[in-house]
Amino acid sequence: MTNLPRKSSLKPQVLTKGAFIYSEGDPAKYLFTVLKGRVKLLKRGKRGSTRNVILRVVQPNERFGILDFFDASHVRRYDAVSMDDEVILSLTLFSDFKVVLDNDPQLQMRLCQEFLQMSNKLWFTYQNLLLNRTIKKVTVTLKNLASSYGERTEDGVEVQGYTHQELAEVIGISRQSVSTSLAYLQKEGFLRYQRSSFEILTSVKKKN
């Protein structure tokens, strides 16, 4: 996306892992850009439920918090929480952003493209939640993460930075179900996993 004028940017915000950037119901005043680390956009379970769902993981050089501003209510619809030990965010006031947007057709087009990408990611999350078989849910999600954020290795594609709990929240199942599924998929030769990373194997022969 086209860079905003320097005067519209506030002092960068530095956060530690687990810090809340905003919570559901807060007023939507800022647009955020991730400079370092990752941020999860989290929908909390209903009252009395401990089941949370990660709607999106925002990577470096990606923005978040835009859709809430364009919603008529101008309030946050989910939580934004830092995922890493050092997360650095750039903040922009929406009032400044709107001035730039009104006068920049190219920025308007890029913003529409970002909205479409966000919509596709949310649709994928919704469709995956509807799947009945846990193994299928896990497999589909791991493949999607590998396609979006993985790095090629000698044996396949590796994704780093996801604990079992975070995978559970991305997939929408319990942590125990994730651990059981990962153990099964590793036994079947589909992947290798460690504490906070997994590698989908493509160059080794899987079991029949």
Side-chain angles (χ1 to χ4, degrees), residues 171-196:
I171 300 167
I173 60 178
S174 69
R175 184 188 182 283
Q176 181 58 47
S177 295
V178 166
S179 299
T180 301
S181 298
L182 291 178
Y184 171 81
L185 291 171
Q186 179 164 263
K187 181 180 178 181
E188 291 298 302
F190 176 76
L191 60 77
R192 285 195 291 257
Y193 73 88
Q194 298 178 6
R195 182 178 180 182
S196 60

mmCIF file of all heavy atoms in Angstrom, residues 171-196:
data_model
loop_
_atom_site.group_PDB
_atom_site.id
_atom_site.type_symbol
_atom_site.label_atom_id
_atom_site.label_comp_id
_atom_site.label_asym_id
_atom_site.label_seq_id
_atom_site.Cartn_x
_atom_site.Cartn_y
_atom_site.Cartn_z
ATOM 1 N N ILE A 171 -7.376 -23.187 14.135
ATOM 2 C CA ILE A 171 -8.207 -24.256 13.565
ATOM 3 C C ILE A 171 -9.607 -24.269 14.162
ATOM 4 O O ILE A 171 -10.574 -24.638 13.512
ATOM 5 C CB ILE A 171 -7.521 -25.624 13.767
ATOM 6 C CG1 ILE A 171 -6.153 -25.637 13.079
ATOM 7 C CG2 ILE A 171 -8.373 -26.766 13.209
ATOM 8 C CD1 ILE A 171 -5.264 -26.802 13.482
ATOM 9 N N GLY A 172 -9.716 -23.856 15.432
ATOM 10 C CA GLY A 172 -11.003 -23.870 16.115
ATOM 11 C C GLY A 172 -11.302 -25.181 16.811
ATOM 12 O O GLY A 172 -12.461 -25.607 16.888
ATOM 13 N N ILE A 173 -10.259 -25.842 17.322
ATOM 14 C CA ILE A 173 -10.425 -27.093 18.062
ATOM 15 C C ILE A 173 -9.622 -26.993 19.355
ATOM 16 O O ILE A 173 -8.967 -25.988 19.611
ATOM 17 C CB ILE A 173 -9.952 -28.314 17.239
ATOM 18 C CG1 ILE A 173 -8.470 -28.171 16.873
ATOM 19 C CG2 ILE A 173 -10.794 -28.483 15.986
ATOM 20 C CD1 ILE A 173 -7.907 -29.352 16.097
ATOM 21 N N SER A 174 -9.672 -28.027 20.186
ATOM 22 C CA SER A 174 -8.950 -28.002 21.459
ATOM 23 C C SER A 174 -7.460 -28.246 21.249
ATOM 24 O O SER A 174 -7.043 -28.817 20.236
ATOM 25 C CB SER A 174 -9.512 -29.065 22.409
ATOM 26 O OG SER A 174 -9.183 -30.371 21.940
ATOM 27 N N ARG A 175 -6.668 -27.806 22.229
ATOM 28 C CA ARG A 175 -5.229 -28.029 22.161
ATOM 29 C C ARG A 175 -4.903 -29.517 22.133
ATOM 30 O O ARG A 175 -3.999 -29.958 21.414
ATOM 31 C CB ARG A 175 -4.544 -27.360 23.351
ATOM 32 C CG ARG A 175 -3.025 -27.447 23.307
ATOM 33 C CD ARG A 175 -2.404 -26.931 24.606
ATOM 34 N NE ARG A 175 -0.965 -26.967 24.543
ATOM 35 C CZ ARG A 175 -0.220 -28.060 24.679
ATOM 36 N NH1 ARG A 175 -0.821 -29.240 24.852
ATOM 37 N NH2 ARG A 175 1.096 -27.995 24.626
ATOM 38 N N GLN A 176 -5.622 -30.311 22.927
ATOM 39 C CA GLN A 176 -5.391 -31.748 22.969
ATOM 40 C C GLN A 176 -5.642 -32.375 21.600
ATOM 41 O O GLN A 176 -4.900 -33.266 21.158
ATOM 42 C CB GLN A 176 -6.288 -32.398 24.014
ATOM 43 C CG GLN A 176 -6.098 -33.912 24.143
ATOM 44 C CD GLN A 176 -4.677 -34.296 24.492
ATOM 45 O OE1 GLN A 176 -4.084 -33.707 25.397
ATOM 46 N NE2 GLN A 176 -4.114 -35.265 23.783
ATOM 47 N N SER A 177 -6.677 -31.918 20.908
ATOM 48 C CA SER A 177 -6.977 -32.445 19.571
ATOM 49 C C SER A 177 -5.862 -32.113 18.594
ATOM 50 O O SER A 177 -5.514 -32.926 17.725
ATOM 51 C CB SER A 177 -8.302 -31.876 19.061
ATOM 52 O OG SER A 177 -9.384 -32.317 19.845
ATOM 53 N N VAL A 178 -5.287 -30.920 18.720
ATOM 54 C CA VAL A 178 -4.160 -30.542 17.866
ATOM 55 C C VAL A 178 -2.969 -31.452 18.123
ATOM 56 O O VAL A 178 -2.351 -31.979 17.187
ATOM 57 C CB VAL A 178 -3.760 -29.068 18.095
ATOM 58 C CG1 VAL A 178 -2.393 -28.772 17.475
ATOM 59 C CG2 VAL A 178 -4.797 -28.142 17.487
ATOM 60 N N SER A 179 -2.632 -31.649 19.383
ATOM 61 C CA SER A 179 -1.476 -32.485 19.728
ATOM 62 C C SER A 179 -1.667 -33.916 19.222
ATOM 63 O O SER A 179 -0.739 -34.521 18.667
ATOM 64 C CB SER A 179 -1.266 -32.494 21.246
ATOM 65 O OG SER A 179 -1.001 -31.192 21.718
ATOM 66 N N THR A 180 -2.866 -34.455 19.394
ATOM 67 C CA THR A 180 -3.164 -35.809 18.927
ATOM 68 C C THR A 180 -3.065 -35.900 17.408
ATOM 69 O O THR A 180 -2.496 -36.850 16.859
ATOM 70 C CB THR A 180 -4.572 -36.232 19.376
ATOM 71 O OG1 THR A 180 -4.642 -36.182 20.809
ATOM 72 C CG2 THR A 180 -4.893 -37.639 18.907
ATOM 73 N N SER A 181 -3.590 -34.883 16.720
ATOM 74 C CA SER A 181 -3.574 -34.877 15.255
ATOM 75 C C SER A 181 -2.157 -34.742 14.715
ATOM 76 O O SER A 181 -1.775 -35.424 13.755
ATOM 77 C CB SER A 181 -4.445 -33.733 14.726
ATOM 78 O OG SER A 181 -5.790 -33.895 15.112
ATOM 79 N N LEU A 182 -1.356 -33.885 15.329
ATOM 80 C CA LEU A 182 0.024 -33.713 14.882
ATOM 81 C C LEU A 182 0.821 -35.000 15.068
ATOM 82 O O LEU A 182 1.636 -35.374 14.212
ATOM 83 C CB LEU A 182 0.686 -32.566 15.640
ATOM 84 C CG LEU A 182 0.177 -31.154 15.336
ATOM 85 C CD1 LEU A 182 0.903 -30.129 16.204
ATOM 86 C CD2 LEU A 182 0.348 -30.810 13.865
ATOM 87 N N ALA A 183 0.595 -35.679 16.189
ATOM 88 C CA ALA A 183 1.282 -36.948 16.432
ATOM 89 C C ALA A 183 0.899 -37.977 15.370
ATOM 90 O O ALA A 183 1.759 -38.719 14.865
ATOM 91 C CB ALA A 183 0.944 -37.465 17.825
ATOM 92 N N TYR A 184 -0.382 -38.018 15.022
ATOM 93 C CA TYR A 184 -0.858 -38.954 13.992
ATOM 94 C C TYR A 184 -0.251 -38.611 12.626
ATOM 95 O O TYR A 184 0.244 -39.504 11.923
ATOM 96 C CB TYR A 184 -2.383 -38.913 13.912
ATOM 97 C CG TYR A 184 -2.943 -39.676 12.737
ATOM 98 C CD1 TYR A 184 -3.093 -41.062 12.792
ATOM 99 C CD2 TYR A 184 -3.319 -39.007 11.571
ATOM 100 C CE1 TYR A 184 -3.596 -41.769 11.703
ATOM 101 C CE2 TYR A 184 -3.816 -39.704 10.478
ATOM 102 C CZ TYR A 184 -3.958 -41.080 10.547
ATOM 103 O OH TYR A 184 -4.452 -41.777 9.466
ATOM 104 N N LEU A 185 -0.261 -37.341 12.252
ATOM 105 C CA LEU A 185 0.256 -36.930 10.945
ATOM 106 C C LEU A 185 1.770 -37.135 10.853
ATOM 107 O O LEU A 185 2.295 -37.447 9.781
ATOM 108 C CB LEU A 185 -0.096 -35.462 10.685
ATOM 109 C CG LEU A 185 -1.588 -35.178 10.468
ATOM 110 C CD1 LEU A 185 -1.851 -33.681 10.436
ATOM 111 C CD2 LEU A 185 -2.084 -35.838 9.184
ATOM 112 N N GLN A 186 2.452 -36.970 11.978
ATOM 113 C CA GLN A 186 3.893 -37.243 11.975
ATOM 114 C C GLN A 186 4.148 -38.744 11.811
ATOM 115 O O GLN A 186 5.038 -39.149 11.047
ATOM 116 C CB GLN A 186 4.533 -36.743 13.269
ATOM 117 C CG GLN A 186 6.029 -37.011 13.330
ATOM 118 C CD GLN A 186 6.721 -36.194 14.400
ATOM 119 O OE1 GLN A 186 7.278 -35.149 14.134
ATOM 120 N NE2 GLN A 186 6.684 -36.685 15.641
ATOM 121 N N LYS A 187 3.377 -39.555 12.482
ATOM 122 C CA LYS A 187 3.514 -41.011 12.361
ATOM 123 C C LYS A 187 3.259 -41.469 10.935
ATOM 124 O O LYS A 187 3.918 -42.393 10.424
ATOM 125 C CB LYS A 187 2.538 -41.700 13.314
ATOM 126 C CG LYS A 187 2.612 -43.220 13.293
ATOM 127 C CD LYS A 187 1.615 -43.824 14.275
ATOM 128 C CE LYS A 187 1.658 -45.348 14.216
ATOM 129 N NZ LYS A 187 0.677 -45.952 15.154
ATOM 130 N N GLU A 188 2.313 -40.800 10.248
ATOM 131 C CA GLU A 188 1.976 -41.154 8.869
ATOM 132 C C GLU A 188 2.954 -40.579 7.857
ATOM 133 O O GLU A 188 2.828 -40.828 6.652
ATOM 134 C CB GLU A 188 0.558 -40.651 8.541
ATOM 135 C CG GLU A 188 -0.540 -41.391 9.273
ATOM 136 C CD GLU A 188 -0.578 -42.859 8.911
ATOM 137 O OE1 GLU A 188 -0.726 -43.173 7.714
ATOM 138 O OE2 GLU A 188 -0.431 -43.704 9.821
ATOM 139 N N GLY A 189 3.941 -39.811 8.310
ATOM 140 C CA GLY A 189 4.946 -39.272 7.414
ATOM 141 C C GLY A 189 4.540 -38.008 6.688
ATOM 142 O O GLY A 189 5.193 -37.598 5.730
ATOM 143 N N PHE A 190 3.452 -37.348 7.149
ATOM 144 C CA PHE A 190 2.999 -36.130 6.495
ATOM 145 C C PHE A 190 3.804 -34.914 6.935
ATOM 146 O O PHE A 190 4.017 -33.981 6.158
ATOM 147 C CB PHE A 190 1.514 -35.901 6.813
ATOM 148 C CG PHE A 190 0.952 -34.622 6.262
ATOM 149 C CD1 PHE A 190 0.660 -34.493 4.920
ATOM 150 C CD2 PHE A 190 0.720 -33.539 7.103
ATOM 151 C CE1 PHE A 190 0.146 -33.303 4.410
ATOM 152 C CE2 PHE A 190 0.205 -32.345 6.606
ATOM 153 C CZ PHE A 190 -0.082 -32.237 5.257
ATOM 154 N N LEU A 191 4.264 -34.928 8.189
ATOM 155 C CA LEU A 191 4.987 -33.765 8.696
ATOM 156 C C LEU A 191 5.937 -34.146 9.816
ATOM 157 O O LEU A 191 5.897 -35.258 10.340
ATOM 158 C CB LEU A 191 4.014 -32.688 9.179
ATOM 159 C CG LEU A 191 3.019 -33.010 10.304
ATOM 160 C CD1 LEU A 191 3.675 -33.018 11.684
ATOM 161 C CD2 LEU A 191 1.892 -31.993 10.315
ATOM 162 N N ARG A 192 6.791 -33.184 10.152
ATOM 163 C CA ARG A 192 7.593 -33.218 11.373
ATOM 164 C C ARG A 192 7.211 -31.979 12.166
ATOM 165 O O ARG A 192 7.013 -30.911 11.587
ATOM 166 C CB ARG A 192 9.098 -33.186 11.052
ATOM 167 C CG ARG A 192 9.656 -34.480 10.515
ATOM 168 C CD ARG A 192 11.182 -34.472 10.588
ATOM 169 N NE ARG A 192 11.748 -33.518 9.640
ATOM 170 C CZ ARG A 192 12.312 -33.857 8.479
ATOM 171 N NH1 ARG A 192 12.377 -35.135 8.114
ATOM 172 N NH2 ARG A 192 12.799 -32.943 7.680
ATOM 173 N N TYR A 193 7.114 -32.120 13.472
ATOM 174 C CA TYR A 193 6.774 -30.938 14.265
ATOM 175 C C TYR A 193 7.629 -30.877 15.513
ATOM 176 O O TYR A 193 8.101 -31.890 16.032
ATOM 177 C CB TYR A 193 5.283 -30.913 14.630
ATOM 178 C CG TYR A 193 4.866 -31.904 15.692
ATOM 179 C CD1 TYR A 193 4.922 -31.573 17.049
ATOM 180 C CD2 TYR A 193 4.395 -33.171 15.360
ATOM 181 C CE1 TYR A 193 4.529 -32.467 18.025
ATOM 182 C CE2 TYR A 193 4.004 -34.075 16.329
ATOM 183 C CZ TYR A 193 4.068 -33.711 17.666
ATOM 184 O OH TYR A 193 3.681 -34.610 18.626
ATOM 185 N N GLN A 194 7.841 -29.644 15.970
ATOM 186 C CA GLN A 194 8.525 -29.379 17.224
ATOM 187 C C GLN A 194 7.616 -28.500 18.064
ATOM 188 O O GLN A 194 6.436 -28.351 17.758
ATOM 189 C CB GLN A 194 9.877 -28.725 16.947
ATOM 190 C CG GLN A 194 10.820 -29.600 16.134
ATOM 191 C CD GLN A 194 12.139 -28.910 15.842
ATOM 192 O OE1 GLN A 194 12.414 -27.822 16.333
ATOM 193 N NE2 GLN A 194 12.966 -29.555 15.023
ATOM 194 N N ARG A 195 8.175 -27.878 19.084
ATOM 195 C CA ARG A 195 7.352 -27.120 20.028
ATOM 196 C C ARG A 195 6.608 -25.966 19.361
ATOM 197 O O ARG A 195 5.440 -25.735 19.640
ATOM 198 C CB ARG A 195 8.230 -26.590 21.165
ATOM 199 C CG ARG A 195 7.446 -25.831 22.218
ATOM 200 C CD ARG A 195 8.345 -25.381 23.333
ATOM 201 N NE ARG A 195 7.611 -24.642 24.351
ATOM 202 C CZ ARG A 195 8.156 -24.103 25.417
ATOM 203 N NH1 ARG A 195 9.458 -24.238 25.635
ATOM 204 N NH2 ARG A 195 7.430 -23.441 26.286
ATOM 205 N N SER A 196 7.274 -25.219 18.491
ATOM 206 C CA SER A 196 6.623 -24.059 17.882
ATOM 207 C C SER A 196 6.867 -23.980 16.375
ATOM 208 O O SER A 196 6.924 -22.897 15.800
ATOM 209 C CB SER A 196 7.099 -22.760 18.551
ATOM 210 O OG SER A 196 8.501 -22.621 18.411
#
